Amino acid sequence: MGRDSGGPATWLLPVVSPMIMALGSVVGIVGLALPGIEIGIALSALVLGAFIVWRVALPLWLACLVVSVFAICHGYAHGAELPLTSDP
């Protein structure tokens, strides 16, 4: 998704995604309400898949933003679905 393959996008996007996903899981564990999470997860598969198929090259900041929005959705879903008896 970054413009320069082999550049910062090669290491930045794989680092940003799990870090933001962890933040989203904390939001889910705490119980804050975020509407449209399931739609966000479905859109992530469609949008990111389309970016790959059509070789969309976004500026690095925009690629990080897109990945972060979808990572929050995924992380939130995991955090919100933890059983109450689990120790996060």
Side-chain angles (χ1 to χ4, degrees), residues 29-73:
I29 290 168
V30 171
L32 296 175
L34 288 180
I37 293 301
E38 292 82 8
I39 294 170
I41 293 170
L43 280 175
S44 73
L46 295 173
V47 170
L48 296 176
F51 284 174
I52 292 168
V53 168
W54 289 308
R55 297 179 185 216
V56 174
L58 297 175
L60 187 56
W61 70 269
L62 186 55
C64 286
L65 180 65
V66 170
V67 167
S68 295
V69 168
F70 293 144
I72 286 175
C73 293

Side-chain angles (χ1 to χ4, degrees), residues 1-17:
M1 276 180 31
R3 285 195 187 266
D4 32 61
S5 59
T10 303
W11 62 267
L12 188 60
L13 293 175
V15 170
V16 165
S17 182

